[in-house]
Amino acid sequence: MANVILTLKERDIMQIRRVKPILFIVTGLSMLLTGCSISDWYNGYYVDRSSMKRYTKRSDAYYNAESPEMKELRKKNQAYCSDLASRPENRIAKIGYENRVFNEPMYRVCMRERGTPTFSTYESMQAEKRRAERRARGEIIPEYW
């Protein structure tokens, strides 16, 4: 009887000694994987960083492709439109800002009307041209209300 009890205790001890490292490894891996998810990194940090790089690259290419005369005109227009959009009577009221904020839409319209559209305005104009071409080819069917 004593041999049977001793044998059972040895088996239990051996099983516990094998389970502890496995349990430690599984717990450690689960904590690591839930704390630092690959999808969180990819969808958050990586995508934001890569899209900003792509936007900056295209924006720089757009502004660097301008002629020297156009660059001078852009400087003049920027000074005029910035002054116009930052005047107190043209500022936009926003919660939390006592003196209101810079009128970005007015700035963009002013730059476009004076012949030097900003890069974001240029992109939206190109997208509208592509949509109009697709509508003309019949790829996009306009919905009537």
Side-chain angles (χ1 to χ4, degrees):
M1 184 74 169
N3 279 343
V4 172
I5 294 174
L6 186 61
T7 306
L8 289 174
K9 283 186 177 180
E10 286 178 7
R11 286 185 189 165
D12 289 343
I13 291 171
M14 292 302 288
Q15 288 176 352
I16 291 172
R17 286 188 181 163
R18 284 186 205 143
V19 169
K20 281 184 179 178
I22 293 172
L23 184 62
F24 177 72
I25 291 170
V26 168
T27 305
L29 284 174
S30 65
M31 288 174 59
L32 179 69
L33 291 175
T34 58
C36 179
S37 175
I38 296 297
S39 65
D40 289 345
W41 175 80
Y42 183 79
N43 290 334
Y45 175 74
Y46 176 75
V47 172
D48 288 345
R49 183 175 53 121
S50 65
S51 65
M52 285 303 294
K53 278 184 180 179
R54 189 171 51 244
Y55 180 84
T56 304
K57 191 176 185 180
R58 290 193 326 246
S59 173
D60 289 345
Y62 171 74
Y63 290 123
N64 290 337
E66 292 180 339
S67 65
E69 296 84 19
M70 188 68 132
K71 287 181 182 180
E72 284 298 317
L73 180 61
R74 181 173 297 281
K75 284 181 187 178
K76 291 176 186 176
N77 289 345
Q78 279 178 338
Y80 175 77
C81 294
S82 293
D83 181 52
L84 181 67
S86 63
R87 288 184 183 157
E89 63 269 13
N90 294 334
R91 290 178 177 240
I92 298 174
K94 229 178 198 179
I95 297 174
Y97 295 93
E98 290 179 15
N99 299 327
R100 302 176 171 208
V101 293
F102 183 78
N103 193 339
E104 183 71 25
M106 180 182 272
Y107 174 78
R108 288 183 181 178
V109 168
C110 175
M111 290 292 284
R112 186 182 68 225
E113 287 177 352
R114 295 177 70 83
T116 53
T118 61
F119 177 66
S120 58
T121 306
Y122 170 76
E123 274 191 329
S124 64
M125 290 177 354
Q126 294 301 316
E128 185 56 40
K129 283 181 184 177
R130 284 191 298 271
R131 279 193 296 274
E133 289 172 359
R134 289 183 65 200
R135 271 197 292 290
R137 288 191 303 245
E139 294 176 13
I140 300 176
I141 299 171
E143 294 181 18
Y144 297 104
W145 296 54

